[in-house]
């Protein structure tokens, strides 16, 4: 069977095929699944509570990897970059993720702490957007996050140099093998650049898609007193 460069099989009967890419993109359905209801009037006063409810619901509904989030940062020259990361926690202090402080995103955050993250859960037609300022957690907290990772993941971070060009896949495999030996010899080894960051939200927005396009958007904005103002937005 012929495969493309991704190793994927050709489109099966019933899947979009032929026509221009534009036509094929237009033929892909959106909001195809059974969509849950969302009553913004009954929503809790705290966005972390609503996020927790939605996350638990997404897990129960079988949304794949709902803890994957997109993070947008920008550098000192306002050039924006985004990428996907794993959400580590969400609580009163904000939304947490971990990466290397010397990576491009780590350097962006050092130059400009303003950032935004978003999750999209297609099976339940829900999007969550969070924007605010990011600060690193203490070295002790970051180290604890690092040591809670798998040995494989720790070895990968110990190789370091995230996003720097490399000679070949084999070169990285050799570096990984060396780092795995270091982890095995000293399980308390911590990659110095590994950092747990927390995004303290200025706003949190919940978007519930609807098949009739009467989407619901509920935005929480941080009030100065530690509470939250809530407003519905036009979709
Ligand atoms: C599903 C998924 C989860 C990821 N999780 C992380 C993560 O938690 N931390 C991380 O540093 N990179 C993670 N990555 C890799 C990043 O998307 C990105 O390629 C890498 O961090 C380099 O980003 P930068 O060059 O903007 O710094 C993940 C990628 C995917 C696809």
């Amino acid at each position: 069977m012929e495969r493309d460069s991704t190793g994927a099989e050709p489109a099966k009967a019933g899947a979009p095929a032929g026509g221009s890419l534009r036509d094929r993109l237009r033929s892909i359905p959106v909001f195809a699944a059974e969509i849950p209801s969302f009553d913004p009037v009954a929503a809790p006063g705290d966005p972390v509570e609503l996020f927790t409810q939605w996350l638990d619901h997404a897990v129960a509904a079988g949304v794949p990897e709902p803890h994957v989030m997109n993070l947008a940062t920008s550098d000192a020259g306002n050039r924006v970059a985004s990428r996907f990361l794993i959400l580590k926690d969400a609580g009163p202090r904000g939304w947490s993720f971990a990466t290397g402080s010397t990576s491009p995103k780590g350097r962006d955050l050092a130059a400009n702490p303003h950032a935004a993250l978003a999750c999209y859960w297609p099976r339940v037609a829900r999007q969550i957007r969070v924007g605010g300022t990011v600060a690193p957690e203490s070295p002790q907290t970051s180290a604890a996050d690092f040591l809670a990772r798998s040995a494989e993941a720790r070895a990968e971070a110990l190789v370091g140099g995230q996003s720097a060009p490399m000679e070949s896949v084999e070169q990285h495999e050799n570096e990984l093998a060396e780092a795995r030996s270091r982890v095995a010899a000293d399980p308390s080894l911590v990659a110095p650049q590994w950092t747990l960051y927390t995004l303290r939200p200025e706003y949190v927005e919940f978007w519930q898609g609807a098949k009739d396009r009467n989407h619901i958007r509920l935005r929480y904005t941080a009030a100065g007193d530690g509470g939250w103002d809530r407003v519905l937005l036009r979709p």
Side-chain angles (χ1 to χ4, degrees):
M1 180 179 295
E2 275 190 35
R3 289 171 186 268
D4 67 16
S5 63
T6 67
E9 293 176 14
K12 295 209 168 50
S20 67
L21 178 58
R22 178 188 159 89
D23 287 343
R24 272 149 41 222
L25 286 168
R26 284 192 171 202
S27 71
I28 299 171
V30 69
F31 314 138
E34 199 59 43
I35 294 179
S37 60
F38 172 51
D39 177 5
V41 176
D46 183 339
V48 175
E49 197 179 327
L50 184 54
F51 180 78
T52 306
Q53 286 177 10
W54 276 30
L55 183 74
D56 289 342
H57 175 271
V59 171
V63 173
E65 303 179 15
H67 60 333
V68 173
M69 54 170 237
N70 184 266
L71 176 76
T73 57
S74 83
D75 67 12
N78 296 324
R79 279 176 295 263
V80 178
S82 85
R83 77 292 284 158
F84 291 92
L85 299 180
I86 298 290
L87 176 68
K88 290 296 185 91
D89 200 5
R93 291 161 47 73
W95 272 249
S96 299
F97 55 89
T99 191
S101 58
T102 50
S103 69
K105 76 184 91 47
R107 296 199 299 269
D108 280 2
L109 290 169
N112 175 7
H114 297 282
L117 64 85
C119 300
Y120 173 52
W121 300 333
R123 194 167 289 179
V124 292
R126 285 180 168 176
Q127 171 184 246
I128 298 116
R129 301 167 58 183
V130 186
T133 51
V134 176
E137 296 291 347
S138 70
Q140 293 78 7
T141 308
S142 296
D145 178 83
F146 184 83
L147 293 173
R149 306 181 81 217
S150 69
E152 286 291 319
R154 277 180 281 152
E156 208 287 321
L158 280 162
V159 170
Q162 190 178 54
S163 301
M166 62 181 193
E167 288 292 316
S168 64
V169 173
E170 290 71 30
Q171 179 199 3
H172 187 244
E173 181 52 47
N174 293 337
E175 290 167 350
L176 258 183
E178 197 260 337
R180 283 185 197 120
S181 309
R182 290 172 63 207
V183 169
D186 182 1
S188 66
L189 208 54
V190 172
Q193 81 281 5
W194 190 257
T195 306
L196 186 70
Y197 290 93
T198 300
L199 189 158
R200 185 166 49 85
E202 287 160 8
Y203 67 85
V204 186
E205 184 196 310
F206 295 83
W207 187 99
Q208 173 65 69
K211 285 184 200 287
D212 65 1
R213 302 305 196 260
N214 188 15
H215 311 309
I216 294 167
R217 288 175 68 189
L218 178 64
R219 176 175 278 228
Y220 292 73
T221 308
D225 59 0
W228 295 91
D229 296 325
R230 277 183 290 175
V231 64
L232 289 170
L233 302 179
R234 290 183 189 281

